[in-house]
Amino acid sequence: MTHPVVVIGAGPGAADLMTVRGARRLGEADVVLFDALTDPALRRHAPAARWVDVGKRGFSAQPGRHGAPACDASGQARINALLVKLAQQGLRVVRLKGGDPSVFGRLEEELQALAEAGLQAEVVPGVTAALAAAAATQRPLTRRGSGRSVSLTTAMTRSGALHASRGADTEVFYMAGRQLAALARRLREAGWPDDTPASVVSRAGWPDQLASDHRVATLAQASVLHAGRPTVVIVGVGAAALPRAPRRGASKATAAAAPEPVPSP
């Protein structure tokens, strides 16, 4: 007898950002294949399970087949094979992914491998890094009347190419920490004005998360602060700061000051 493989979104950081359903399914696991950026505290939900680290940490500088960069850690093909092998042994298998499995999680490849082996799957959604970054900075990605669309883009590709567009009111770039200067250039080429707000958040959802405010023209300045940390960049309407409650002793005029609205594409 085989059981459905359960793919769980662990959320962007701290263990308590996982959904209730995700925690319940995790507690039923015999074996857990987990990503590099999942919180070790999640182990308390399945202390008797076997935990297997299959985390991939981007792409290395060593080229793989056809000149494409090779994965630093476990290859996707190995992960697919492990999922199938363990499930066929009758084990209750959980694939634990950071963020949401459906957002830059290569979920389609794992579901396809399971389907080709005649195995069922269940997907439990999680909080993706873009939402955690918006919550950390208290800057909604959509705004009534000005921010009607959001685009999610990965800044890291197998070919090493970096693409930026201006197709949405708010653009969110994942895995952008190593390419902030290049991203700024691409944004300007795509038509974003130099003074467009840009919010940079690293390790969103973790206790040590960092956030900094920039403009497209000064985005590269965030490289030092966020170096070596998983980073999300929000550009456009959703990066603009909202008015904050006045601090004690501050004038109402100062507290109510807000940035100029960002023009829609």
Side-chain angles (χ1 to χ4, degrees), residues 7-223:
V7 185
I8 301 174
D16 60 358
L17 289 175
M18 176 186 274
T19 65
V20 173
R21 179 181 295 181
R24 185 168 62 247
R25 291 288 189 273
L26 181 56
E28 300 168 352
D30 294 315
V31 59
V32 180
L33 277 59
F34 67 97
D35 276 354
L37 298 179
T38 52
D39 190 342
L42 290 168
R43 288 176 179 255
R44 71 174 183 267
H45 294 293
R50 173 188 170 200
W51 287 70
V52 181
D53 184 352
V54 295
K56 300 187 298 298
R57 297 166 177 84
F59 302 103
S60 71
Q62 298 299 320
R65 296 185 60 189
H66 310 299
C71 281
D72 287 338
S74 302
Q76 186 64 48
R78 173 176 172 267
I79 296 173
N80 296 346
L82 269 175
L83 288 171
V84 171
K85 177 182 178 180
L86 294 169
Q88 288 177 336
Q89 292 174 0
L91 298 173
R92 295 184 183 274
V93 181
V94 162
R95 176 69 172 100
L96 188 61
K97 291 176 172 287
D100 181 272
S102 298
V103 180
F104 306 125
R106 300 182 72 168
L107 175 63
E108 75 285 0
E109 298 173 50
E110 296 176 9
L111 292 179
Q112 183 176 354
L114 294 170
E116 290 174 352
L119 297 166
Q120 300 295 315
E122 176 187 357
V123 179
V124 180
V127 178
T128 189
L131 301 182
T137 57
Q138 298 186 23
R139 298 179 187 187
L141 297 179
T142 60
R143 312 284 176 95
R144 188 171 71 167
S146 61
R148 300 180 179 87
S149 58
V150 179
S151 173
L152 307 180
T153 303
T154 175
M156 178 180 290
T157 64
R158 291 191 63 85
S159 65
L162 176 63
H163 301 283
S165 63
R166 198 184 178 197
D169 299 320
T170 300
E171 302 268 357
V172 184
F173 295 88
Y174 284 63
M175 297 173 277
R178 298 180 181 179
Q179 306 188 67
L180 292 177
L183 178 59
R185 291 194 297 270
R186 293 290 186 270
L187 289 169
R188 296 168 79 177
E189 292 170 0
W192 289 96
D194 283 353
D195 62 350
T196 302
S199 175
V200 181
V201 184
S202 59
R203 285 181 60 84
W206 292 91
D208 63 343
Q209 64 190 9
L210 293 174
S212 57
D213 293 334
H214 307 271
R215 301 287 173 171
V216 164
T218 61
L219 183 57
Q221 295 176 3
S223 299

